[in-house]
Amino acid sequence: MVPIDSAPAPLSPAAETGTPPRAPTAILVVDDHDLLRLGVCALVQAQAASSGAHIEVFEAGNVADALALYETHQAAIGLVLLDLALPDTHGLSGLAEFRLRFPGARIVVLSGTGNTTLAQGVLALGAAAFLPKSADLKEVVSFIRACGLLDPLAGAAELPPPATPRALTGYAEFAHAGAWQELTPRQMQVLQWVLEGKANKEIAQLANLSEGTVKNHVSTILLLFGMRSRAQLISTLH
């Protein structure tokens, strides 16, 4: 919580000369839906204003624009809110590309699909958090506040380090990162059902697909993860 004591008057640029630069306080919102970007932007800025903070919000509707913005303003951007379903992404490719280009970026993934398998893949690729879009936007703001971006008294030393959310530390996680990146949304859904122990016939009924199509999806998933059987896949990913 922000102390109730009266905040000190802002220092002039001259007075700030020679002091360490403040921690990044800008946010980059990456989503192809204008209303969601507008909603996040309005809520974040309203919360910042109420606590006396100043926060800048950058917006992008696709990964290409987001990468260009981040490259230009990375010194100022403390958090990236990244949607998975963008016009120029496939599965988790947007997150993977962001992490490859800017491993130091703190990224929170927003997704319209809230299943645990997807969340597992997102965290395996190094995202700081996974938040389903079905969640209240206030939860997003709560995470932003936890990062220190909405606290006008939070200095650089108090801000959590930007680049250490579940990195790919183990060999298995590193090896599987590429597999998560290659999965299509449909394969991600099939994988979720496989991990729940459902047979191909059950999955076919749930997904309104032929059993042969489901079998092909399962075979592709096993190949991507380098697994020989469903049992090995379930044991490894659970």
Side-chain angles (χ1 to χ4, degrees), residues 20-24 153-161:
R22 290 181 60 83
L153 301 180
E158 298 175 59
L159 194 62

Side-chain angles (χ1 to χ4, degrees), residues 143-156:
F143 187 90
I144 295 170
R145 186 178 294 281
C147 290
L149 299 179
L150 294 177
D151 185 352
L153 301 180

Side-chain angles (χ1 to χ4, degrees), residues 77-102:
I77 295 173
L79 189 68
V80 179
L81 301 179
L82 177 68
D83 182 29
L84 291 181
L86 296 167
D88 55 348
T89 63
H90 165 87
L92 300 180
S93 65
L95 172 61
E97 187 175 1
F98 224 113
R99 291 283 294 157
L100 182 64
R101 287 273 303 276
F102 303 106

Side-chain angles (χ1 to χ4, degrees), residues 84-85 90-95 109 111-125 130 176-196 203 207 209 214 217-218 220-222 224-225 233 237:
L84 291 181
H90 165 87
L92 300 180
S93 65
L95 172 61
V109 165
S111 173
T113 304
N115 67 61
T116 54
T117 302
L118 180 60
Q120 184 181 3
V122 161
L123 295 177
L125 284 175
F130 173 85
H176 296 155
W180 288 111
Q181 178 183 349
E182 291 298 320
L183 289 175
T184 66
R186 173 62 82 183
Q187 289 166 349
M188 192 82 70
Q189 189 177 45
V190 169
L191 175 57
Q192 171 72 19
W193 284 321
V194 169
L195 295 179
E196 290 173 1
I203 295 173
L209 297 171
V214 172
H217 280 318
V218 173
T220 300
I221 291 168
L222 291 175
L224 285 172
F225 282 93
L233 181 71
L237 297 187

Side-chain angles (χ1 to χ4, degrees), residues 1 4 32 36 49 53 62 69 74 78 85 100-101 105 118 125 129 133 144 160 167 187-188 197-198 231:
M1 289 183 69
I4 303 180
D32 61 334
L36 188 135
N62 56 58
L69 272 171
Q74 58 185 299
L100 182 64
R101 287 273 303 276
L118 180 60
L125 284 175
K133 286 185 177 180
I144 295 170
Q187 289 166 349
M188 192 82 70
K198 291 181 170 55

